[in-house]
Amino acid sequence: MRRSVRDRIRGFARSSGDYLDLIVACGMAFVVAAVSLLDVFGGDEFINEAILLVLGFYALAVIRDRRGRQKALEDASALRCLDDAAVDRVLTEERDHTTHWAHRDGTGSLLRRRLLPRLAAEGGRRGGAFGLQVELADPMDTGLCERYAAQFRSGGENDWRAADVRDEILVTIVALFYLGLRTTVRPRVAVSRNLSMFTVDLTDRAVSVDPLPRGAQSLLVSGSLSHFRGWQYDLAASYSHGRELPLEQSRHRVEEPDVVDIDELNAVLVDLAVLPDDYRRADLSRLAAAVTAALPARDGRN
């Protein structure tokens, strides 16, 4: 029996209601794209905050599709927009409850602030395995570093240059290398030639999405991994397309892990194929000092 036009309209309305949040997300995505092209409403800050809203609506749609309407209403409380300091507190506490941490960023500066000091201070004394996967921008890609610098400048940090971005990435890479020497954590690090508009941190219980440039609110989704499994797949796929650095193969270069020696540091950077052509001893000294500051000494040692 053929359905009447009225029945079809009613059926479409019911279906639209079932997927209203996803429809809204798609509609907002088109609006954001149009605003980006037309450069209205104040530029990058508006775009970043609008994108977070789209991500939030999309996450709610996925949650509801997988777990039902009533459960989705309960899970909606897991979505929060927080300022930078609040996200820092949540993710710092996550170290007590997670066995795996995946991070994707341009420079890794947030990782150095949120996680590395805690891991270095522990010195591997915590029991249980801890997996750390980090994806950064390729410091040897000058064009990519300049694009990141331009993003930072658009957020009001006018003194950023490509060389500054490159140096920040190198600090993170070397800090992760020495973290692996000083603790039981064995970081995996890859560098990518793709520009990432967001810093993403994924743990066993939460995912945070921080937009570039800094300053706008961040999206935090907390709960079980099923709430944000898509981010897990995305980070794994993105990491696999980068160039993984052979950190383990350079361990023999360092005799005393608690001291960042300039000559050893030079050899490690050569092994990892991330030593800039214009680096001199003064540059290596600054890099060694920055790494020392990023990793607190174990048991009060300097």
Side-chain angles (χ1 to χ4, degrees):
M1 185 179 212
R2 297 183 61 184
R3 297 173 60 195
S4 67
V5 173
R6 179 178 298 179
D7 289 339
R8 291 180 181 179
I9 293 175
R10 288 174 177 172
F12 175 77
R14 284 195 296 270
S15 299
S16 299
D18 290 340
Y19 297 97
L20 180 60
D21 40 18
L22 189 55
I23 293 172
V24 171
C26 292
M28 291 183 65
F30 282 114
V31 172
V32 171
V35 169
S36 178
L37 290 174
L38 296 175
D39 192 24
V40 296
F41 294 117
D44 292 331
E45 183 175 354
F46 173 84
I47 297 299
N48 284 331
E49 294 183 0
I51 289 174
L52 288 178
L53 285 175
V54 173
L55 291 173
F57 272 109
Y58 176 73
L60 280 175
V62 172
I63 290 172
R64 189 171 73 174
D65 182 60
R66 294 170 66 95
R67 306 185 65 179
R69 291 187 181 185
Q70 186 59 41
K71 189 60 178 175
L73 292 175
E74 299 172 5
D75 290 338
S77 62
L79 273 173
R80 290 178 285 171
C81 282
L82 302 175
D83 61 29
D84 203 39
V87 175
D88 277 1
R89 289 193 297 271
V90 171
L91 291 183
T92 298
E93 294 171 358
E94 275 299 300
R95 172 62 187 107
D96 292 328
H97 308 286
T98 192
T99 59
H100 181 267
W101 197 298
H103 177 86
R104 182 174 65 201
D105 186 22
T107 65
S109 59
L110 288 183
L111 182 74
R112 299 203 312 267
R113 186 175 78 202
R114 290 169 172 168
L115 182 63
L116 296 197
R118 176 77 178 273
L119 294 177
E122 290 171 2
R125 290 187 294 270
R126 278 180 58 110
F130 181 78
L132 179 58
Q133 172 188 296
V134 180
E135 180 184 342
L136 303 168
D138 189 340
M140 304 304 287
D141 188 331
T142 303
L144 179 62
C145 290
E146 175 53 41
R147 291 166 67 193
Y148 272 106
Q151 284 292 327
F152 294 142
R153 291 195 297 268
S154 72
E157 302 177 70
N158 296 323
D159 56 343
W160 276 90
R161 301 168 300 139
D164 300 317
V165 173
R166 176 198 64 189
D167 292 347
E168 281 289 303
I169 300 169
L170 290 176
V171 172
T172 304
I173 291 173
V174 177
L176 288 165
F177 171 73
Y178 275 89
L179 178 74
L181 296 178
R182 298 178 184 182
T183 73
T184 58
V185 179
R186 294 293 178 265
R188 297 174 58 225
V189 182
V191 293
S192 169
R193 291 179 176 251
N194 296 321
L195 178 71
S196 176
M197 296 301 297
F198 300 96
T199 294
V200 182
D201 283 283
L202 175 68
T203 72
D204 293 344
R205 308 189 315 165
V207 59
S208 75
V209 184
D210 299 89
L212 285 177
R214 312 292 185 207
Q217 285 197 317
S218 303
L219 176 69
L220 181 74
V221 183
S222 57
S224 65
L225 190 59
S226 62
H227 290 175
F228 35 81
R229 193 171 299 279
W231 283 107
Q232 183 185 42
Y233 296 148
D234 175 67
L235 290 175
S238 179
Y239 184 92
S240 69
H241 286 92
R243 176 173 69 90
E244 188 165 42
L245 303 182
L247 300 185
E248 290 295 311
Q249 296 180 20
S250 297
R251 294 174 64 88
H252 70 282
R253 297 287 190 185
V254 178
E255 294 183 3
E256 175 49 61
D258 289 303
V259 178
V260 184
D261 178 81
I262 295 177
D263 293 323
E264 293 175 346
L265 177 57
N266 186 85
V268 169
L269 294 177
V270 170
D271 287 347
L272 303 180
V274 292
L275 177 65
D277 293 335
D278 60 348
Y279 251 40
R280 302 294 182 262
R281 289 190 69 83
D283 300 301
L284 291 169
S285 295
R286 285 195 300 271
L287 178 57
V291 172
T292 300
L295 296 178
R298 295 173 294 165
D299 301 323
R301 288 179 288 183
N302 295 316

